Amino acid sequence: MAGWRLRLYTIIFEADTRAGRWFDKSLIFIILTSIALVMADSVESLHLAHGRMFQVMEWVFTFLFTAEYIARLLCVRRPLQYAGSFFGFIDLLALLPTYLALFFPGLHALIDVRVLRLLRVFRVFKLTAYVTEYQSLGRALAASGRKILVFLTAVLMLVLVMGTVMYVVEGRDNGYTSIPTSIYWAISTVTTVGFGDITPKTDLGRLITSFMMLLGWGILAVPTGIVTAEMAAQRRMAQVPVPTTRTCHECLTEGHTPDANYCLHCGARLPPYQQQEKAAESP
């Protein structure tokens, strides 16, 4: 890429230049303002007094987001790849509720999904420590996936058995009208969030419920221990990343070192690194 596409790409996708930082900070401000308007519009008194203004401003924000999304597609080398990426999907999802609300008015409140776009705040304000912890948590969860799946399978079998037992012990007269209903009760009890809509009436049922409540504390501790152990292992192997937003033009992978010549993901040649120190912004 060269010319206006390269300049636009650097501004939109990278935050190590003055223009890039201003663009992302402005985008975050618009996102927060748009979400605040939707929340305010849901208050009946505010909607009756300022509903028309809220609607007009929401369409203004939607047009701005639409123009930004089109600009992103124009400046990337592979628009379809960006559209199918995580952030590309989030950017599109931020637009759809307003347009779909023309046909399905109830979808208007889903505009609040724009809050997901604030994930960019990590790259904008160079919160490297938070990014590192976020990545470490993601790796720990991925490494713990099989262990947690086995654990959840065991819990599922437990609530299935205990729900069936309570269906037999308490019966329909005490609210346990079916095995699925009893399983619902078992899940809400073993996770210690019981709603109280179904409660045991017999002494044996209360004894079983007490056992399940105590068991719930241990159940909550197991996945926590699994993930904590994996996070400790990840921290021992972790390397502190260089805090840049340098992005590959081919695959949009972010976080390359300033002196890198090739993409760490796809191996494509990287353009020269463009950076402006924040001190240069002051007059």
Side-chain angles (χ1 to χ4, degrees):
M1 291 190 294
W4 67 270
R5 290 185 66 195
L6 179 58
R7 292 194 298 271
L8 187 61
Y9 181 93
T10 303
I11 292 173
I12 293 179
F13 282 94
E14 299 186 6
D16 293 326
T17 63
R18 181 169 56 185
R21 285 192 290 270
W22 274 106
F23 174 83
D24 283 341
K25 291 176 182 178
S26 301
L27 180 62
I28 289 174
F29 173 77
I30 293 174
I31 292 171
L32 290 174
T33 305
S34 174
I35 293 172
L37 286 176
V38 174
M39 296 175 64
D41 193 34
S42 66
V43 179
E44 185 176 0
S45 59
L46 294 177
H47 175 75
L48 293 175
H50 308 288
R52 181 62 178 175
M53 182 191 68
F54 289 151
Q55 185 179 16
V56 171
M57 294 185 66
E58 178 50 42
W59 276 108
V60 170
F61 287 137
T62 299
F63 288 143
L64 290 175
F65 288 132
T66 303
E68 180 231 349
Y69 182 72
I70 294 174
R72 290 180 182 273
L73 294 178
L74 289 176
C75 69
V76 296
R77 186 165 293 173
R78 292 183 172 85
L80 291 180
Q81 181 180 4
Y82 171 73
S85 66
F86 172 76
F87 279 115
F89 177 74
I90 294 299
D91 291 344
L92 179 61
L93 194 62
L95 303 174
L96 291 180
T98 304
Y99 293 112
L100 293 178
L102 294 174
F103 308 99
F104 307 98
L107 296 179
H108 176 75
L110 293 179
I111 291 172
D112 275 0
V113 299
R114 288 175 182 170
V115 72
L116 295 176
R117 302 197 66 192
L118 293 181
L119 291 173
R120 301 180 188 274
V121 72
F122 294 112
R123 62 189 295 275
V124 176
F125 294 105
K126 298 295 192 62
L127 302 180
T128 310
Y130 293 93
V131 175
T132 302
E133 294 300 329
Y134 170 78
Q135 293 173 343
S136 176
L137 178 60
R139 289 192 295 267
L141 290 175
S144 307
R146 293 184 180 179
K147 298 183 184 70
I148 293 177
L149 180 61
V150 171
F151 170 75
L152 290 179
T153 302
V155 173
L156 180 61
M157 290 188 293
L158 173 66
V159 297
L160 177 63
V161 172
M162 297 307 295
T164 304
V165 169
M166 287 297 289
Y167 172 73
V168 174
V169 171
E170 293 290 331
R172 295 175 178 271
D173 294 338
N174 292 328
Y176 298 80
T177 56
S178 65
I179 291 180
T181 301
S182 300
I183 293 175
Y184 154 77
W185 166 87
I187 293 174
S188 63
T189 301
V190 81
T191 55
T192 68
V193 295
F195 294 106
D197 52 342
I198 304 175
T199 56
K201 301 298 190 297
T202 65
D203 292 337
L204 180 58
R206 289 170 179 167
L207 178 63
I208 295 174
T209 302
S210 300
F211 168 75
M212 293 186 65
M213 289 178 179
L214 294 174
L215 186 63
W217 289 99
I219 288 177
L220 291 176
V222 172
T224 304
I226 293 174
V227 176
T228 302
E230 290 294 341
M231 290 184 67
Q234 294 290 337
R235 187 172 290 108
R236 287 194 295 268
M237 298 183 297
Q239 296 180 352
V240 179
V242 178
T244 75
T245 58
R246 193 180 183 191
T247 309
C248 173
H249 290 187
E250 295 289 338
C251 65
L252 302 180
T253 298
E254 192 176 286
H256 298 87
T257 58
D259 58 348
N261 294 319
Y262 298 93
C263 175
L264 58 85
H265 180 72
C266 69
R269 181 82 179 182
L270 294 174
Y273 179 47
Q274 301 187 44
Q275 181 185 27
Q276 291 175 329
E277 297 296 335
K278 290 187 177 182
E281 296 182 13
S282 58

